[in-house]
Amino acid sequence: MGRYARKVSTGPAFKRLPRAVREQQMLDSAVQVFSRRGYHGASMDEIAEVAGISKPMVYAYLGHKEDLFVACLHREGTRMMEAIAGAAAPDLPADERLWRGLRAFFGFVGAHRDGWAVLYRQARGEQRFARELSVMRARLVEVVSGMLDHALRAEGREAAETELEVVAYALVGATESLADWLADRPEADPEKTATRMMNAAWLGAGQLLSGATWHPPTV
């Protein structure tokens, strides 16, 4: 070949993708690495390698590691809330609405175990992300509280806002704990897990909604 022959590159060829698509690829890779390594153990080098891009591109698109972790939190939290909201239509009976919301929630955890690890485990252990996690939990509590209020009003009764909030926090806390159990067991069925939670939640909530209460014994 002549001295001016064109050189053929043997390096990796990156396909040019729209920014939104590339960002989602980066977030997918970041969630995978954060869930496996933890926030402190994860490196931007590994995230870039898993994503198949350069580290400077990760910084250019999503900022430093803390910014990237927050972006992962927001995306996974939004996906989860959208799944629940899409399943729990407001015109359904109260029990079916809660059941469908639980099924969507546990379905999300079963399909996105890495995402749940980032949302629940990694973020919970880092004080700097406490606010983001608190906001997401408050949104869940608000949804559950609204479901309980709807059920009461359908029965022609009302409850104090504080009472609804306390029950909603208890249900959300129990649901999060059971989701953590599910995330560790790939063989567990998300729908069966939702049924178990529904039995525990609705039978107890059903008694509360009917006006039954427990009182400490008098000494």
Side-chain angles (χ1 to χ4, degrees):
M1 298 180 67
R3 59 182 296 187
Y4 297 110
R6 190 176 179 183
K7 293 184 179 180
V8 178
S9 173
T10 58
F14 298 112
K15 183 180 178 181
R16 189 171 184 85
L17 295 172
R19 182 184 181 94
V21 175
R22 181 68 77 188
E23 283 184 356
Q24 292 306 309
Q25 287 184 344
M26 293 180 195
L27 290 172
D28 288 341
S29 301
V31 166
Q32 180 183 338
V33 175
F34 282 132
S35 68
R36 186 170 65 242
R37 306 287 189 196
Y39 176 75
H40 292 290
S43 71
M44 297 295 274
D45 291 289
E46 184 176 5
I47 291 169
E49 182 180 353
V50 171
I53 59 175
S54 67
K55 185 166 72 169
M57 186 179 289
V58 178
Y59 283 115
Y61 274 62
L62 294 165
H64 294 274
K65 186 164 80 167
E66 184 171 333
D67 303 318
L68 179 56
F69 190 85
V70 170
C72 290
L73 278 181
H74 287 169
R75 190 191 71 167
E76 298 306 303
T78 298
R79 281 179 168 181
M80 182 180 70
M81 292 304 301
E82 287 177 347
I84 295 170
D91 58 338
L92 293 171
D95 59 338
E96 186 176 353
R97 191 179 179 201
L98 180 58
W99 153 243
R100 290 195 181 192
L102 287 170
R103 186 173 62 178
F105 173 76
F106 286 110
F108 169 85
V109 174
H112 303 90
R113 294 172 196 267
D114 287 347
W116 178 253
V118 169
L119 271 175
Y120 190 69
R121 296 176 180 171
Q122 305 300 336
R124 183 181 56 180
E126 293 292 331
Q127 184 60 37
R128 73 187 78 187
F129 306 121
R131 182 181 178 280
E132 282 79 9
L133 195 60
S134 178
V135 168
M136 281 183 255
R137 181 172 288 120
R139 289 172 63 195
L140 270 176
V141 168
E142 184 179 356
V143 169
V144 174
S145 182
M147 289 181 183
L148 295 175
D149 184 50
H150 176 76
L152 278 171
R153 292 181 185 278
E155 297 288 331
R157 298 188 301 108
E158 294 184 18
E161 183 177 344
T162 301
E163 294 300 321
L164 289 172
E165 187 178 38
V166 167
V167 175
Y169 265 105
L171 291 177
V172 168
T175 301
E176 287 178 341
S177 295
L178 192 53
D180 210 32
W181 175 89
L182 174 67
D184 280 337
R185 293 164 175 80
E187 75 284 358
D189 181 9
E191 186 156 339
K192 287 184 179 178
T193 305
T195 303
R196 292 186 180 109
M197 186 64 222
M198 184 65 186
N199 281 319
W202 187 251
L203 292 180
Q207 291 189 54
L208 288 172
L209 293 174
S210 68
T213 56
W214 177 86
H215 298 282
T218 57
V219 179

